[in-house]
Amino acid sequence: MIKIQSITKTFGERVVLNEISGTFEKGKPNLIIGASGTGKSVLLKSIVGLTKPDYGQVFYDGRDFYGSDRETKIEIRREMGMLFQGGALFDSKNVEQNVMFPLDVLTKMPQEEKLERVNFCLKRVGLENVNSKMPSEISGGMKKRVGIARAIVNNPNYLFCDEPNSGLDPQTSILIDELILDLSEDLDITTIVVTHDMNSVMGIGEKIMFLYKGVKLWEGANTDITHSGVKELDDFVFANKVMNSLRGK
Amino acid sequence: MIKEIGKYFIFLGSLFVNRESFKTYYKLVLDECMTIGIGSLFLVALVSTFIGAVTTVQTAFNMVSDFIPKYVISQVVREMVILELAPTIMAVIYAGKVGSSMASGLGTMRITEQVDALEVMGINSISYLVLPKIIASVLMYPMLVITAGVCALFGGYLVGTLTGIITPNDFVYGLRSSYNEFTVVFALIKSLVFAFLVASISSFKGYNTQGGALEVGISSTQAVTSSVIAVLIADYLLAQLLLSI
Ligand SMILES: Nc1ncnc2c1ncn2[C@@H]1O[C@H](COP(=O)(O)OP(=O)(O)O)[C@@H](O)[C@H]1O
Ligand SMILES: [Mg+2]
């Protein structure tokens, strides 16, 4: 479980995150949703420690991340896996080397064991026989899958995904969403997914946090999202034509 | 400007905290050495051969008096090549070739979040990405400078003798007369300093790229400009420092 408290971040005069608190539960995807530019990515980066918030705390199963010394921080870091928006694969390495990379630098596993683990994870995300392909040779959806495989290869306790299905076709998006859902349940890890995709929200949004201009306006499950009574959330939800056709039903 | 320089020193400081194992770096350094060395060898050889040739022709052209023996030409060429052309002019070319590619490589890694991916794994991305580049640069650049020196003298010899400006015997005699080993030591000291400056400044510029593809291009250009300025300032300071003792 990850707990955040009063996360606040300003860039110059601009308050991008204003006192965000909440919890993210284990064994399921926790969604952070909102329109573009509302601070979702900044919030995710503040949680994993890539952007230091002005103040606020993040607790990883009770361990205060920002209050820790360097060693504890690295220890917590090494329990994280993260999927970046574009995949963020190392473009000088092939698929296999990319997925193996965390094992290379973080563990002392023998080579055969690493390879076995890599192939297991690639298979888990539905990729086989692409081990020697370079990132420039594979499609966007495949890059995301490789990114997921790399994120889970070292058995993380926490998985973070920033817009996992941006730039993907609807079918591939659904597959990626289901993969994230399955992984969170099977591996029993705490997963946080940032998205602005209503398909994902309705598909895997068991637990949702809605951000609007840096403020948390609503929290709940997708089953309640259509009747939240929050105007900004309605605007967000019903901006989607399909959703709008369901309005009032 | 001052703030930028301060950030540069903080950047240098973070190269050495929380490093990975020696074995990790060993391989990375070897890879970088291959890229830097082999990638620049042709350009360095080509440019220095021509500079050597041109320097010889121009020196000869300026020595119209019959009272000056011909071998002085190659003596002058030698001094110019060892002291300035090989280490300093090559540093400018090195910044253009290696510095810009370091900056754009790191800039691309930054904007595509590859740097963030390293950080999330708990790896110090600065030392992981930049330290091997600096070490490889400091190892390879002196070798490139030696190559450049040899090529320049060879180019001078070739043009000088082929066009009849100077006989082969005079050229070789000039190269060997009143030779001071310290000039070579001085050139190597300069090349170590320049190699460090170009690699660290270019990496600094590339690593701190923000934005998109356009900004990567800007970082890369700035890397070359700043590296060249730093090299020229260092050149002057080193001359003051080492030649005054
Ligand atoms: N490093 C930064 N410096 C200044 N402003 C930033 C920085 N990163 C993000 N912002 C601003 O913060 C706001 C929220 O950005 P972001 O979290 O990326 O939005 P999104 O919800 O689309 O992921 C944006 O308006 C962006 O311009
Ligand atoms: Mg974003």
Side-chain angles (χ1 to χ4, degrees):
Chain A
M1 191 183 79
I2 300 173
K3 188 163 171 249
I4 59 175
Q5 217 153 28
S6 314
I7 300 281
T8 299
K9 176 75 186 171
T10 51
F11 286 114
E13 294 284 284
R14 246 189 101 205
V15 183
V16 175
L17 296 174
N18 194 352
E19 301 270 349
I20 312 277
S21 303
T23 56
F24 303 97
E25 285 158 23
K26 203 173 167 181
K28 63 172 80 149
N30 298 264
L31 269 52
I32 299 175
I33 65 168
S36 291
T38 47
K40 303 183 298 293
S41 294
V42 175
L43 178 58
L44 196 67
K45 286 186 175 169
S46 302
I47 294 174
V48 300
L50 286 173
T51 304
K52 197 176 184 313
D54 301 344
Y55 59 89
Q57 286 156 307
V58 181
F59 296 94
Y60 283 88
D61 290 306
R63 292 167 296 178
D64 178 358
F65 183 79
Y66 285 107
S68 302
D69 53 17
R70 184 197 291 284
E71 280 71 36
T72 317
K73 269 191 188 141
I74 291 175
E75 204 175 285
I76 299 175
R77 277 272 172 84
R78 298 198 162 177
E79 295 174 25
M80 296 178 186
M82 185 155 180
L83 170 65
F84 289 87
Q85 215 159 333
L89 303 182
F90 303 120
D91 38 35
S92 58
K93 298 186 190 309
N94 67 23
V95 167
E96 180 178 299
Q97 289 163 338
N98 259 289
V99 179
M100 200 181 281
F101 183 80
L103 301 178
D104 287 338
V105 291
L106 304 179
T107 71
K108 294 197 163 54
M109 234 183 242
Q111 186 66 21
E112 310 87 75
E113 203 178 317
K114 284 194 280 191
L115 195 58
E116 203 175 306
R117 177 80 191 142
V118 167
N119 284 326
F120 172 81
C121 291
L122 282 173
K123 199 169 168 199
R124 187 71 187 75
V125 298
L127 289 176
E128 272 168 292
N129 306 319
V130 292
N131 290 38
S132 54
K133 285 246 183 345
M134 297 304 283
S136 56
E137 299 170 328
I138 59 178
S139 69
M142 281 161 91
K143 278 185 198 158
K144 295 264 165 102
R145 286 168 194 247
V146 177
I148 295 178
R150 186 178 68 184
I152 61 170
V153 75
N154 197 24
N155 281 317
N157 290 327
Y158 314 101
L159 179 65
F160 305 92
C161 309
D162 193 354
E163 311 261 1
N165 40 31
S166 71
L168 300 183
D169 59 89
Q171 249 176 332
T172 315
S173 296
I174 291 174
L175 288 177
I176 297 273
D177 282 346
E178 277 170 2
L179 184 58
I180 291 172
L181 178 66
D182 286 351
L183 287 171
S184 314
E185 288 174 352
D186 292 356
L187 307 176
D188 196 26
I189 54 184
T190 307
T191 304
I192 302 182
V193 180
V194 161
T195 185
H196 57 221
D197 181 4
M198 274 315 289
N199 284 323
S200 307
V201 171
M202 298 321 283
I204 59 172
E206 214 181 304
K207 190 170 182 307
I208 301 167
M209 174 189 284
F210 174 66
L211 286 194
Y212 181 79
K213 293 191 177 165
V215 183
K216 182 174 108 180
L217 282 190
W218 182 82
E219 204 171 16
N222 54 7
T223 43
D224 302 323
I225 201 165
T226 51
H227 44 271
S228 62
V230 178
K231 185 182 169 299
E232 289 82 358
L233 181 56
D234 282 347
D235 289 346
F236 177 80
V237 170
F238 298 113
N240 182 304
K241 283 213 172 92
V242 180
M243 291 300 298
N244 205 12
S245 69
L246 298 175
R247 196 167 200 170
K249 279 188 189 161
Chain B
M1 179 71 186
I2 300 288
K3 204 171 149 200
E4 184 88 352
I5 293 174
K7 272 164 74 182
Y8 170 69
F9 281 104
I10 294 172
F11 178 81
L12 290 184
S14 45
L15 281 173
F16 299 101
V17 289
N18 172 33
R19 276 165 303 160
E20 303 307 312
S21 69
F22 178 76
K23 203 173 129 249
T24 316
Y25 284 99
Y26 177 71
K27 199 178 160 301
L28 291 171
V29 168
L30 277 187
D31 285 349
E32 291 292 341
C33 282
M34 297 295 274
T35 320
I36 294 175
I38 294 178
S40 336
L41 193 59
F42 175 71
L43 185 66
V44 163
L46 183 76
V47 172
S48 53
T49 307
F50 272 86
I51 289 184
V54 172
T55 313
T56 306
V57 172
Q58 291 191 343
T59 310
F61 176 75
N62 284 308
M63 290 193 183
V64 281
S65 165
D66 288 338
F67 294 110
I68 306 172
K70 287 287 185 213
Y71 72 82
V72 172
I73 296 174
S74 59
Q75 212 179 334
V76 170
V77 170
R78 180 196 72 206
E79 291 301 301
M80 283 172 67
V81 163
I82 296 178
L83 276 177
E84 207 57 24
L85 295 180
T88 313
I89 300 298
M90 283 310 123
V92 172
I93 292 172
Y94 186 71
K97 175 107 174 70
V98 174
S100 68
S101 91
M102 280 181 184
S104 59
L106 286 172
T108 307
M109 290 191 78
R110 165 62 84 188
I111 63 161
T112 55
E113 299 182 303
Q114 295 175 48
V115 172
D116 288 343
L118 287 171
E119 286 286 328
V120 165
M121 291 174 203
I123 295 167
N124 176 353
S125 60
I126 297 185
S127 70
Y128 183 83
L129 294 172
V130 177
L131 198 54
K133 290 195 186 342
I134 294 180
I135 295 174
S137 178
V138 169
L139 289 177
M140 295 310 285
Y141 184 62
M143 293 193 211
L144 288 173
V145 168
I146 293 170
T147 311
V150 172
C151 287
L153 294 180
F154 174 72
Y157 175 83
L158 215 58
V159 164
T161 55
L162 287 181
T163 58
I165 292 172
I166 182 170
T167 65
N169 272 344
D170 274 350
F171 193 92
V172 174
Y173 180 78
L175 284 189
R176 304 176 62 156
S177 70
S178 58
Y179 166 70
N180 178 358
E181 294 94 350
F182 181 69
T183 53
V184 173
V185 175
F186 182 49
L188 289 178
I189 293 175
K190 290 213 299 194
S191 61
L192 289 176
V193 173
F194 297 167
F196 176 81
L197 286 175
V198 170
S200 60
I201 292 174
S202 304
S203 301
F204 171 71
K205 287 287 178 190
Y207 186 87
N208 287 311
T209 305
Q210 269 181 358
L214 187 65
E215 282 77 9
V216 173
I218 294 173
S219 294
S220 167
T221 318
Q222 281 181 350
V224 178
T225 320
S226 309
S227 301
V228 169
I229 293 172
V231 162
L232 296 178
I233 294 174
D235 190 29
Y236 172 74
L237 292 178
L238 284 174
Q240 284 280 351
L241 203 71
L242 293 174
L243 297 185
S244 61
I245 39 177

